[in-house]
Amino acid sequence: MNSIKAICCIGAGYVGGPTCSVIALKCPEIKVTVVDLSKPRIDSWNSDKLPIFEPGLDDIVKQCRGRNLFFSNDIDSAIREADLIFICVNTPTKTFGLGKGRAPDLKYIEAAARHIAVVAADQGEKIVVEKSTVPVRAAESITRIFDANGNRGKFQVLSNPEFLAEGTAIKDLMDPDRVLIGGEQTREGYKAVEALSSVYEHWIPKENIIKTNTWSSELSKLLAANAFLAQRISSINAMSAICEATGADVSEVASAIGRDTRIGSNFLRASALNLPEVANYWYQVVAMNEDQRRRFANRIVHCLFNTVTDKKIALFGFAFKKNTGDTRESASIYICKYLMDEGARITVYDPKVEKDQIHLELTHPSISEDPERVDRLITIVTDPYKAVESAHALVICTEWDEFKTYDYKRIYDSMLKPAFALMVE
């Protein structure tokens, strides 16, 4: 396949929507169609109020939508027309069974692969690209599904993981550190990799496009985007606990550490390890990050005289970080969980996260086994000053710039005394 004329993206979420919008902007000769089962989500993409907030995204969508960028619920037509199909569906954490609370649930990946296998069975060659975060060798599972449905050799499955950061997703797409493409080490696999590369070469220098085998691409995503970043977060979280005990300023310590050139790419050298030890190591990294959230919740409880039962706590910010409406793995989710476990009444305000999204996160089975308790203890408001009325404490969880402009004397005066204010580090 020498050229890509039409792209279908299955999944109109945080990865699919922004990625395909930028591709449509940079490749005006390619028709890009983003499809999803959810009619409300597609309706939002076709409206003036997009379902995702990212700086710059709104302008790109408005510029390209209706020209070569389309959002649709007609999944079958988009698959048939496409030369290249991105799979950008969610891979949520399993809420039951083996791996509960840790392993990704791949049911949406599998469902997408099976649907492609049926719909595109008589449509000629296709390139199918996994962009969702998946375990290593997930591409092999997708290929087996295609082969088992009579499509042996017709579909080339590539790995093209995303490395987007919330709040800078458009910048990351427009000027990425690197684009990673993995494919089979066969003649057909190389051709598919080059075809996808040709799309990115519209705006990304060739030297920034890294081509590997499929498994290397998948593993690089897990290590670079997940494991090593989690490791660094764990390290500074552990340091913050020491800072609290010694009176040191964690931000000053982090700044000093960051100037050490050894803590960078030259320091990340792989060693041969037995797999059980590797698993235990990374489990401890995750455990450290979870402990940081719990420790902050404990600080809130301690400030409020060791009990928050039936006390009102105002929480500013529910997004993962400022300049994004994304809430995945937001500290606010877990802080709310721990405070609900203590019986606190929490009023949440975020300038960009919708009420339904906040409620969905807090009623997820991994957070609360009792949705009625969430309805009883959580209030979501659209006015920050309303959130703090008669509150015992104010907790700032996201560093939105607008929070710096508030009238904090007014906020203090409206709170119960003694009033407390805390900020997630």
Side-chain angles (χ1 to χ4, degrees):
M1 188 174 293
N2 297 321
S3 63
I4 303 296
K5 297 181 175 63
I7 291 175
C8 166
C9 173
I10 301 177
Y14 194 86
V15 175
T19 299
C20 288
S21 297
V22 169
I23 290 176
L25 177 71
K26 295 296 186 178
C27 308
E29 78 282 7
I30 297 177
K31 180 180 179 181
V32 182
T33 305
V34 182
V35 296
D36 200 284
L37 287 172
S38 171
K39 187 177 185 301
R41 182 177 295 173
I42 292 298
D43 288 344
S44 293
W45 278 110
N46 285 318
S47 72
D48 291 332
K49 187 176 182 181
L50 303 184
I52 293 171
F53 173 77
E54 280 289 329
L57 176 61
D58 202 67
D59 291 340
I60 292 174
V61 171
K62 288 179 179 177
Q63 183 176 341
C64 300
R65 190 172 57 197
R67 185 193 70 186
N68 69 321
L69 175 63
F70 303 91
F71 299 92
S72 173
N73 293 119
D74 189 352
I75 299 174
D76 292 5
S77 293
I79 290 174
R80 293 190 186 100
E81 185 179 13
D83 305 306
L84 185 151
I85 303 168
F86 284 122
I87 298 180
C88 299
V89 297
N90 290 334
T91 51
T93 302
K94 291 183 68 174
T95 59
F96 59 89
L98 293 175
K100 175 183 177 180
R102 295 190 301 275
D105 189 340
L106 301 182
K107 63 183 178 184
Y108 300 118
I109 294 276
E110 180 180 345
R114 292 185 183 279
H115 196 76
I116 293 168
V118 173
V119 173
D122 57 351
Q123 299 297 308
E125 295 181 356
K126 303 279 186 184
I127 299 173
V128 178
V129 184
E130 54 169 22
K131 287 197 74 69
S132 305
T133 301
V134 293
V136 178
R137 305 197 79 86
E140 182 178 49
S141 299
I142 295 173
T143 301
R144 289 178 63 188
I145 289 173
F146 291 154
D147 291 349
N149 283 271
N151 297 296
R152 182 174 297 276
K154 290 174 57 178
F155 297 159
Q156 286 298 316
V157 180
L158 305 181
S159 170
N160 176 217
E162 55 86 11
F163 295 95
L164 308 182
E166 295 85 349
T168 60
I170 299 302
K171 178 180 179 297
D172 297 338
L173 287 163
M174 300 281 270
D175 186 23
D177 294 331
R178 76 290 195 205
V179 170
L180 191 59
I181 304 175
E184 290 187 6
Q185 307 297 284
T186 63
R187 180 174 175 273
E188 292 76 15
Y190 292 136
K191 285 177 59 179
V193 168
E194 291 302 322
L196 178 55
S197 179
S198 71
V199 173
Y200 288 114
E201 287 169 23
H202 280 71
W203 77 98
I204 298 169
K206 281 188 176 183
E207 59 268 24
N208 290 353
I209 301 175
I210 303 171
K211 302 166 187 176
T212 71
N213 70 44
T214 311
W215 326 129
S216 296
S217 174
E218 291 177 333
L219 186 57
S220 295
K221 162 63 176 179
L222 293 176
L223 288 178
N226 294 3
F228 282 161
L229 290 178
Q231 179 194 51
R232 292 191 174 200
I233 293 170
S234 290
S235 297
I236 199 63
N237 284 344
M239 193 60 65
S240 71
I242 297 174
C243 289
E244 283 185 18
T246 60
D249 186 326
V250 68
S251 62
E252 294 177 349
V253 172
S255 177
I257 292 173
R259 293 176 180 269
D260 191 330
T261 57
R262 295 171 298 175
I263 302 178
S265 60
N266 292 332
F267 188 70
L268 302 177
R269 300 300 186 191
S271 299
L273 296 173
N274 196 13
L275 289 180
E277 284 77 12
V278 172
N280 289 334
Y281 172 78
W282 290 114
Y283 180 80
Q284 288 304 313
V285 168
V286 174
M288 178 59 68
N289 291 337
E290 292 176 350
D291 181 68
Q292 176 75 353
R293 297 161 176 157
R294 185 180 294 277
R295 194 163 56 83
F296 182 76
N298 289 340
R299 279 182 57 199
I300 299 171
V301 175
H302 178 73
C303 284
L304 294 175
F305 311 107
N306 291 317
T307 180
V308 293
T309 302
D310 207 34
K311 291 181 178 177
K312 178 179 177 180
I313 297 175
L315 191 146
F316 279 7
F318 200 85
F320 177 76
K321 63 179 181 180
K322 71 176 183 179
N323 294 333
T324 181
D326 192 9
T327 57
R328 292 175 296 177
E329 292 302 308
S330 168
S332 301
I333 299 171
Y334 298 92
I335 290 169
C336 284
K337 168 183 167 55
Y338 299 139
L339 292 176
M340 283 192 293
D341 289 343
E342 296 288 333
R345 293 180 294 109
I346 306 165
T347 303
V348 180
Y349 167 76
D350 189 284
K352 291 297 180 182
V353 182
E354 299 291 337
K355 178 178 179 179
D356 289 347
Q357 180 64 26
I358 295 173
H359 188 268
L360 181 66
E361 293 283 15
L362 295 179
T363 53
H364 191 275
S366 65
I367 300 300
S368 177
E369 301 292 342
D370 182 7
E372 291 183 1
R373 184 184 66 160
V374 175
D375 294 336
R376 186 175 69 253
L377 296 177
I378 299 291
T379 302
I380 303 166
V381 298
T382 57
D383 181 347
Y385 295 102
K386 179 75 172 178
V388 295
E389 288 179 1
S390 300
H392 293 77
L394 166 62
V395 178
I396 300 177
C397 290
T398 311
E399 69 279 20
W400 286 103
D401 289 338
E402 74 171 58
F403 292 169
K404 301 175 185 177
T405 68
Y406 291 170
D407 183 346
Y408 281 92
K409 183 179 186 305
R410 175 183 171 186
I411 287 175
Y412 175 79
D413 290 343
S414 71
M415 296 173 66
L416 296 181
K417 308 300 185 296
F420 297 90
L422 304 95
M423 183 171 181
V424 174
E425 296 174 347

PDB file of all heavy atoms in Angstrom, residues 307-326:
ATOM      1  N   THR A 307     -10.692  13.773  62.578  1.00  0.00           N
ATOM      2  CA  THR A 307     -11.984  13.244  62.139  1.00  0.00           C
ATOM      3  C   THR A 307     -12.588  14.165  61.092  1.00  0.00           C
ATOM      4  O   THR A 307     -12.567  15.393  61.236  1.00  0.00           O
ATOM      5  CB  THR A 307     -12.983  13.069  63.301  1.00  0.00           C
ATOM      6  OG1 THR A 307     -14.221  12.551  62.771  1.00  0.00           O
ATOM      7  CG2 THR A 307     -13.233  14.370  64.021  1.00  0.00           C
ATOM      8  N   VAL A 308     -13.105  13.577  60.016  1.00  0.00           N
ATOM      9  CA  VAL A 308     -13.790  14.374  58.992  1.00  0.00           C
ATOM     10  C   VAL A 308     -15.225  13.900  58.812  1.00  0.00           C
ATOM     11  O   VAL A 308     -15.918  14.321  57.891  1.00  0.00           O
ATOM     12  CB  VAL A 308     -13.048  14.300  57.638  1.00  0.00           C
ATOM     13  CG1 VAL A 308     -11.694  14.991  57.723  1.00  0.00           C
ATOM     14  CG2 VAL A 308     -12.901  12.862  57.161  1.00  0.00           C
ATOM     15  N   THR A 309     -15.667  13.034  59.672  1.00  0.00           N
ATOM     16  CA  THR A 309     -17.025  12.499  59.570  1.00  0.00           C
ATOM     17  C   THR A 309     -18.045  13.624  59.574  1.00  0.00           C
ATOM     18  O   THR A 309     -18.067  14.463  60.485  1.00  0.00           O
ATOM     19  CB  THR A 309     -17.324  11.535  60.726  1.00  0.00           C
ATOM     20  OG1 THR A 309     -16.358  10.484  60.703  1.00  0.00           O
ATOM     21  CG2 THR A 309     -18.722  10.945  60.588  1.00  0.00           C
ATOM     22  N   ASP A 310     -18.841  13.690  58.543  1.00  0.00           N
ATOM     23  CA  ASP A 310     -19.908  14.680  58.367  1.00  0.00           C
ATOM     24  C   ASP A 310     -19.400  16.111  58.260  1.00  0.00           C
ATOM     25  O   ASP A 310     -20.175  17.061  58.374  1.00  0.00           O
ATOM     26  CB  ASP A 310     -20.938  14.576  59.495  1.00  0.00           C
ATOM     27  CG  ASP A 310     -22.316  15.056  59.063  1.00  0.00           C
ATOM     28  OD1 ASP A 310     -22.656  14.841  57.876  1.00  0.00           O
ATOM     29  OD2 ASP A 310     -23.022  15.669  59.876  1.00  0.00           O
ATOM     30  N   LYS A 311     -18.095  16.278  58.039  1.00  0.00           N
ATOM     31  CA  LYS A 311     -17.553  17.622  57.822  1.00  0.00           C
ATOM     32  C   LYS A 311     -17.519  17.917  56.327  1.00  0.00           C
ATOM     33  O   LYS A 311     -17.281  17.033  55.508  1.00  0.00           O
ATOM     34  CB  LYS A 311     -16.144  17.745  58.411  1.00  0.00           C
ATOM     35  CG  LYS A 311     -16.125  17.712  59.935  1.00  0.00           C
ATOM     36  CD  LYS A 311     -14.715  17.865  60.466  1.00  0.00           C
ATOM     37  CE  LYS A 311     -14.722  17.884  62.007  1.00  0.00           C
ATOM     38  NZ  LYS A 311     -13.350  17.967  62.564  1.00  0.00           N
ATOM     39  N   LYS A 312     -17.738  19.204  55.987  1.00  0.00           N
ATOM     40  CA  LYS A 312     -17.748  19.600  54.580  1.00  0.00           C
ATOM     41  C   LYS A 312     -16.338  19.981  54.146  1.00  0.00           C
ATOM     42  O   LYS A 312     -15.682  20.816  54.779  1.00  0.00           O
ATOM     43  CB  LYS A 312     -18.691  20.779  54.360  1.00  0.00           C
ATOM     44  CG  LYS A 312     -18.703  21.258  52.901  1.00  0.00           C
ATOM     45  CD  LYS A 312     -19.656  22.425  52.684  1.00  0.00           C
ATOM     46  CE  LYS A 312     -19.581  22.921  51.238  1.00  0.00           C
ATOM     47  NZ  LYS A 312     -20.495  24.052  50.978  1.00  0.00           N
ATOM     48  N   ILE A 313     -15.892  19.372  53.054  1.00  0.00           N
ATOM     49  CA  ILE A 313     -14.587  19.680  52.488  1.00  0.00           C
ATOM     50  C   ILE A 313     -14.786  20.125  51.048  1.00  0.00           C
ATOM     51  O   ILE A 313     -15.391  19.404  50.244  1.00  0.00           O
ATOM     52  CB  ILE A 313     -13.652  18.451  52.544  1.00  0.00           C
ATOM     53  CG1 ILE A 313     -13.397  18.071  54.009  1.00  0.00           C
ATOM     54  CG2 ILE A 313     -12.339  18.739  51.814  1.00  0.00           C
ATOM     55  CD1 ILE A 313     -12.587  16.815  54.177  1.00  0.00           C
ATOM     56  N   ALA A 314     -14.310  21.318  50.724  1.00  0.00           N
ATOM     57  CA  ALA A 314     -14.388  21.833  49.355  1.00  0.00           C
ATOM     58  C   ALA A 314     -13.159  21.378  48.588  1.00  0.00           C
ATOM     59  O   ALA A 314     -12.027  21.525  49.068  1.00  0.00           O
ATOM     60  CB  ALA A 314     -14.461  23.349  49.369  1.00  0.00           C
ATOM     61  N   LEU A 315     -13.372  20.837  47.418  1.00  0.00           N
ATOM     62  CA  LEU A 315     -12.271  20.323  46.595  1.00  0.00           C
ATOM     63  C   LEU A 315     -12.243  21.084  45.283  1.00  0.00           C
ATOM     64  O   LEU A 315     -13.185  21.031  44.501  1.00  0.00           O
ATOM     65  CB  LEU A 315     -12.451  18.823  46.370  1.00  0.00           C
ATOM     66  CG  LEU A 315     -11.279  18.059  45.752  1.00  0.00           C
ATOM     67  CD1 LEU A 315     -11.216  16.647  46.308  1.00  0.00           C
ATOM     68  CD2 LEU A 315     -11.412  18.005  44.229  1.00  0.00           C
ATOM     69  N   PHE A 316     -11.159  21.847  45.069  1.00  0.00           N
ATOM     70  CA  PHE A 316     -10.976  22.599  43.837  1.00  0.00           C
ATOM     71  C   PHE A 316     -10.117  21.785  42.864  1.00  0.00           C
ATOM     72  O   PHE A 316      -8.963  21.479  43.155  1.00  0.00           O
ATOM     73  CB  PHE A 316     -10.263  23.925  44.109  1.00  0.00           C
ATOM     74  CG  PHE A 316     -11.161  25.022  44.623  1.00  0.00           C
ATOM     75  CD1 PHE A 316     -12.479  24.780  44.954  1.00  0.00           C
ATOM     76  CD2 PHE A 316     -10.663  26.313  44.791  1.00  0.00           C
ATOM     77  CE1 PHE A 316     -13.296  25.793  45.437  1.00  0.00           C
ATOM     78  CE2 PHE A 316     -11.461  27.332  45.270  1.00  0.00           C
ATOM     79  CZ  PHE A 316     -12.786  27.074  45.592  1.00  0.00           C
ATOM     80  N   GLY A 317     -10.690  21.446  41.723  1.00  0.00           N
ATOM     81  CA  GLY A 317      -9.931  20.758  40.686  1.00  0.00           C
ATOM     82  C   GLY A 317     -10.137  19.258  40.707  1.00  0.00           C
ATOM     83  O   GLY A 317      -9.838  18.595  41.692  1.00  0.00           O
ATOM     84  N   PHE A 318     -10.654  18.736  39.593  1.00  0.00           N
ATOM     85  CA  PHE A 318     -10.841  17.289  39.477  1.00  0.00           C
ATOM     86  C   PHE A 318     -10.072  16.720  38.293  1.00  0.00           C
ATOM     87  O   PHE A 318      -9.893  15.518  38.189  1.00  0.00           O
ATOM     88  CB  PHE A 318     -12.335  16.962  39.335  1.00  0.00           C
ATOM     89  CG  PHE A 318     -12.677  15.556  39.689  1.00  0.00           C
ATOM     90  CD1 PHE A 318     -12.918  15.192  41.009  1.00  0.00           C
ATOM     91  CD2 PHE A 318     -12.755  14.577  38.715  1.00  0.00           C
ATOM     92  CE1 PHE A 318     -13.226  13.883  41.348  1.00  0.00           C
ATOM     93  CE2 PHE A 318     -13.065  13.260  39.040  1.00  0.00           C
ATOM     94  CZ  PHE A 318     -13.298  12.916  40.363  1.00  0.00           C
ATOM     95  N   ALA A 319      -9.597  17.591  37.409  1.00  0.00           N
ATOM     96  CA  ALA A 319      -8.821  17.136  36.251  1.00  0.00           C
ATOM     97  C   ALA A 319      -7.470  16.599  36.698  1.00  0.00           C
ATOM     98  O   ALA A 319      -6.967  16.945  37.774  1.00  0.00           O
ATOM     99  CB  ALA A 319      -8.625  18.280  35.266  1.00  0.00           C
ATOM    100  N   PHE A 320      -6.872  15.768  35.842  1.00  0.00           N
ATOM    101  CA  PHE A 320      -5.566  15.190  36.138  1.00  0.00           C
ATOM    102  C   PHE A 320      -4.530  16.278  36.379  1.00  0.00           C
ATOM    103  O   PHE A 320      -3.678  16.182  37.257  1.00  0.00           O
ATOM    104  CB  PHE A 320      -5.141  14.281  34.981  1.00  0.00           C
ATOM    105  CG  PHE A 320      -3.784  13.680  35.140  1.00  0.00           C
ATOM    106  CD1 PHE A 320      -3.579  12.621  36.013  1.00  0.00           C
ATOM    107  CD2 PHE A 320      -2.709  14.167  34.424  1.00  0.00           C
ATOM    108  CE1 PHE A 320      -2.322  12.067  36.172  1.00  0.00           C
ATOM    109  CE2 PHE A 320      -1.448  13.611  34.566  1.00  0.00           C
ATOM    110  CZ  PHE A 320      -1.258  12.565  35.449  1.00  0.00           C
ATOM    111  N   LYS A 321      -4.585  17.340  35.546  1.00  0.00           N
ATOM    112  CA  LYS A 321      -3.753  18.524  35.762  1.00  0.00           C
ATOM    113  C   LYS A 321      -4.399  19.674  35.006  1.00  0.00           C
ATOM    114  O   LYS A 321      -5.404  19.492  34.311  1.00  0.00           O
ATOM    115  CB  LYS A 321      -2.317  18.283  35.300  1.00  0.00           C
ATOM    116  CG  LYS A 321      -2.140  18.008  33.826  1.00  0.00           C
ATOM    117  CD  LYS A 321      -0.667  17.813  33.503  1.00  0.00           C
ATOM    118  CE  LYS A 321      -0.452  17.564  32.026  1.00  0.00           C
ATOM    119  NZ  LYS A 321       0.971  17.377  31.697  1.00  0.00           N
ATOM    120  N   LYS A 322      -3.847  20.871  35.137  1.00  0.00           N
ATOM    121  CA  LYS A 322      -4.463  22.035  34.513  1.00  0.00           C
ATOM    122  C   LYS A 322      -4.418  21.936  32.993  1.00  0.00           C
ATOM    123  O   LYS A 322      -3.624  21.194  32.412  1.00  0.00           O
ATOM    124  CB  LYS A 322      -3.786  23.321  34.976  1.00  0.00           C
ATOM    125  CG  LYS A 322      -2.372  23.528  34.440  1.00  0.00           C
ATOM    126  CD  LYS A 322      -1.841  24.883  34.880  1.00  0.00           C
ATOM    127  CE  LYS A 322      -0.453  25.155  34.301  1.00  0.00           C
ATOM    128  NZ  LYS A 322       0.069  26.468  34.693  1.00  0.00           N
ATOM    129  N   ASN A 323      -5.292  22.703  32.351  1.00  0.00           N
ATOM    130  CA  ASN A 323      -5.374  22.795  30.896  1.00  0.00           C
ATOM    131  C   ASN A 323      -5.799  21.510  30.220  1.00  0.00           C
ATOM    132  O   ASN A 323      -5.465  21.257  29.065  1.00  0.00           O
ATOM    133  CB  ASN A 323      -4.044  23.277  30.295  1.00  0.00           C
ATOM    134  CG  ASN A 323      -3.720  24.704  30.682  1.00  0.00           C
ATOM    135  OD1 ASN A 323      -4.624  25.483  30.937  1.00  0.00           O
ATOM    136  ND2 ASN A 323      -2.445  25.036  30.738  1.00  0.00           N
ATOM    137  N   THR A 324      -6.542  20.681  30.932  1.00  0.00           N
ATOM    138  CA  THR A 324      -7.117  19.482  30.328  1.00  0.00           C
ATOM    139  C   THR A 324      -8.398  19.123  31.070  1.00  0.00           C
ATOM    140  O   THR A 324      -8.533  19.412  32.259  1.00  0.00           O
ATOM    141  CB  THR A 324      -6.144  18.298  30.375  1.00  0.00           C
ATOM    142  OG1 THR A 324      -6.771  17.161  29.753  1.00  0.00           O
ATOM    143  CG2 THR A 324      -5.777  17.918  31.789  1.00  0.00           C
ATOM    144  N   GLY A 325      -9.315  18.530  30.336  1.00  0.00           N
ATOM    145  CA  GLY A 325     -10.511  18.006  30.974  1.00  0.00           C
ATOM    146  C   GLY A 325     -10.385  16.533  31.298  1.00  0.00           C
ATOM    147  O   GLY A 325     -11.327  15.902  31.770  1.00  0.00           O
ATOM    148  N   ASP A 326      -9.205  15.959  31.059  1.00  0.00           N
ATOM    149  CA  ASP A 326      -8.983  14.522  31.291  1.00  0.00           C
ATOM    150  C   ASP A 326      -8.904  14.245  32.787  1.00  0.00           C
ATOM    151  O   ASP A 326      -8.233  14.962  33.537  1.00  0.00           O
ATOM    152  CB  ASP A 326      -7.688  14.095  30.611  1.00  0.00           C
ATOM    153  CG  ASP A 326      -7.544  12.582  30.561  1.00  0.00           C
ATOM    154  OD1 ASP A 326      -8.516  11.878  30.894  1.00  0.00           O
ATOM    155  OD2 ASP A 326      -6.459  12.105  30.199  1.00  0.00           O
TER     156      ASP A 326
END
